[in-house]
Amino acid sequence: MKMHDFLEGVAAKNPAQPEFLQAVKEVVESVWEIYDSNPRFKQAKILDRIVEPERVIMFRVPWVDDRGEVHVNRGYRIEFNSAIGPYKGGLRFHPSVNLSILKFLGFEQIFKNSLTTLPMGGGKGGSDFNAKGRSDYEIMRFCQSFMSELFRHIGPNTDVPAGDIGVGGREIGYLFGMYKKLVNEFTGVLTGKGLNWGGSLIRPEATGFGAVYFANSMLGTKGEGFENKTVLVSGFGNVAWGAVQKINELGGKVVTLSGPDGYIYDKEGITGDKVEFMLEMRASNRDTVKDYADEFGVDFVAGKRPWEVKCDVAIPCATQNELLREDAEMLVKNGCICVAEGANMPCTPEAVEVLQESKILFAPGKAANAGGVATSGLEMSQNSLRFNWSRDEVDQKLKVIMKNIHDQCELYGSKDGYTDYVKGANIAGFMKVANAMLDHGIV
Ligand code: NDP
Ligand code: 2IT
């Protein structure tokens, strides 16, 4: 079979799932040559099986708001692949959530988790719940209702959810409380937990830290580092917050953040109290980054993304498809030398093409943002050991994992002096899962 025919088949089977098909196409293009030349993979139809989730769960989430009105949201859990470990991946609460977005995220998670070297399968879940303007009690009641169905599908050795957009420490707390009540067990069934009840040090910062460690390794291949670099960050959530801290620590200067309302430009750099203010913005449920401009008297550009600002490095940390072809062209024109995806699939395929053709350093999310789930894996290890590692121990392990992922990308993606991190990450992630699937027979 030709690759084109295979992709046509997946598209015909999954109509109206553009994000999922986008993610599948990228992986299949990277691994096709290896797949096609391996009779064992083909005979076992590994690719046909890997693009089909093992299980998709969809459920009703009814809840009552503070005024007594009843709302009904839709809940999901995609249990995509358990070849190398229990399903593992975040929960996203955002009004844009649908089956296509969660299947894309679950699919990416398979290869990302494989790259971490830890025993975790791939999964993702969430709901189209909109937290904007909601009170803490409303968020709590929603989380409780969501878990009152999800609990029967998950478990510390079955499926271990965590946070993603709209799900941070507060939401994980409400979800965990309900799980514990229903199952009557205290286990590490969720990651991103509070430090007093099984959480790991560094987990809140881990995705952003990991992305910056990864970008630092990329820069290192050119004899560069973050020192005195001007950096664009998008988003203002969990990942952006961790990235800003680590860039500051390594001597870089972050000059932008963004939200659904536009972006802020802070030419002095986002440091000190301004970094802490990001947490307030995220917790306010107001969903506007303009609050930062109002608080600190910096520029706010309504309705735009930050990619027009001159920079050395860009780390998109908001959401999928937020950096388009014309943005990539602008970055290259302005002298940007490195783009590392903190979010999942923030760059469109056209943007990736521009960046790679310009031979600037580009890393896909499944490699660059794997530090979050890797540290979730470390949280699971600590829970199993019934022990807590120090901040430094976790950070050291995270550094080693990110370095290892960088090495794997180089191993499988380097050719003629240029590293194609997309190809490298996809092949390295795929091989381990595909071989495990072969070992398990046709199941
Ligand atoms: P948060 O909810 O903490 O922050 C998300 C940020 O992105 C907010 O600024 C949010 O604004 C913005 N955003 C979300 N959707 C949109 C949209 N449709 N248009 C514009 N802005 C949007 O989430 P995280 O920081 O956890 O996640 C950010 C990205 O990183 C996501 O792609 C996620 O999948 C990825 N990621 C997260 C990991 C984690 O451990 N948390 C690990 C690896 C990757 P708003 O709230 O207004 O939508
Ligand atoms: O996209 C991701 O890797 C996450 N949202 C983190 C998943 C996890 O299980 O920690």
Side-chain angles (χ1 to χ4, degrees), residues 35 38 82 95 190 250 401:
Y35 178 74
N38 186 322
S82 61
L190 295 166
L250 297 185
I401 288 170

Side-chain angles (χ1 to χ4, degrees), residues 209-242:
F209 277 20
V212 176
Y213 292 148
F214 195 91
N216 203 37
S217 292
M218 296 166 82
L219 291 168
T221 64
K222 304 278 175 214
E224 302 266 0
F226 271 96
E227 193 71 31
N228 297 323
K229 295 279 186 300
T230 299
V231 186
L232 306 183
V233 167
S234 63
F236 63 90
N238 172 264
V239 179
W241 170 74

Side-chain angles (χ1 to χ4, degrees), residues 45-274:
K45 292 239 162 73
I46 293 291
L47 269 189
D48 300 70
R49 285 160 60 206
I50 219 167
V51 299
E52 201 61 37
E54 289 175 18
R55 194 174 299 108
V56 174
I57 301 152
M58 278 173 67
F59 50 97
R60 179 173 74 194
V61 189
W63 58 282
V64 184
D65 72 17
D66 289 346
R67 302 193 332 261
E69 194 182 328
V70 176
H71 297 263
V72 182
N73 284 101
R74 186 170 287 172
Y76 303 82
R77 186 73 184 163
I78 319 292
E79 297 186 332
F80 221 121
N81 192 298
S82 61
I84 62 167
Y87 309 107
K88 180 83 196 87
L91 296 170
R92 177 176 290 193
F93 293 168
H94 195 272
S96 63
V97 160
N98 58 36
L99 193 57
S100 173
I101 289 181
L102 294 182
K103 279 181 65 184
F104 123 61
L105 290 164
F107 185 71
E108 290 284 288
Q109 202 82 45
I110 303 171
F111 309 100
K112 184 195 304 192
N113 293 4
S114 165
L115 283 169
T116 65
T117 67
L118 301 173
M120 300 182 290
K124 201 83 186 190
S127 174
D128 57 359
F129 174 69
N130 188 356
K132 188 170 176 173
R134 291 293 171 198
S135 70
D136 264 19
Y137 274 135
E138 289 176 321
I139 290 172
M140 181 179 80
R141 286 195 295 275
F142 174 80
C143 289
Q144 291 176 336
S145 178
F146 185 86
M147 187 52 88
S148 73
E149 172 58 34
L150 186 69
F151 85 99
R152 70 187 87 249
H153 307 288
I154 62 176
N157 295 312
T158 308
D159 184 355
V160 183
D164 192 81
I165 291 178
V167 179
R170 168 182 56 187
E171 292 77 14
I172 292 292
Y174 296 147
L175 291 163
F176 185 79
M178 195 60 182
Y179 180 88
K180 185 165 68 62
K181 183 180 170 86
L182 290 168
V183 178
N184 195 27
E185 270 181 9
F186 196 112
T187 65
V189 67
L190 295 166
T191 59
K193 298 187 290 299
L195 287 178
N196 293 328
W197 39 279
S200 174
L201 287 160
I202 304 273
R203 176 62 187 92
E205 299 91 338
T207 312
F209 277 20
V212 176
Y213 292 148
F214 195 91
N216 203 37
S217 292
M218 296 166 82
L219 291 168
T221 64
K222 304 278 175 214
E224 302 266 0
F226 271 96
E227 193 71 31
N228 297 323
K229 295 279 186 300
T230 299
V231 186
L232 306 183
V233 167
S234 63
F236 63 90
N238 172 264
V239 179
W241 170 74
V244 170
Q245 289 178 63
K246 189 52 75 177
I247 295 163
N248 286 337
E249 219 180 281
L250 297 185
K253 182 162 83 168
V254 183
V255 293
T256 61
L257 296 174
S258 72
D261 51 334
Y263 76 89
I264 60 101
Y265 174 60
D266 184 346
K267 66 175 187 310
E268 302 302 328
I270 297 159
T271 53
D273 291 350
K274 299 180 197 166

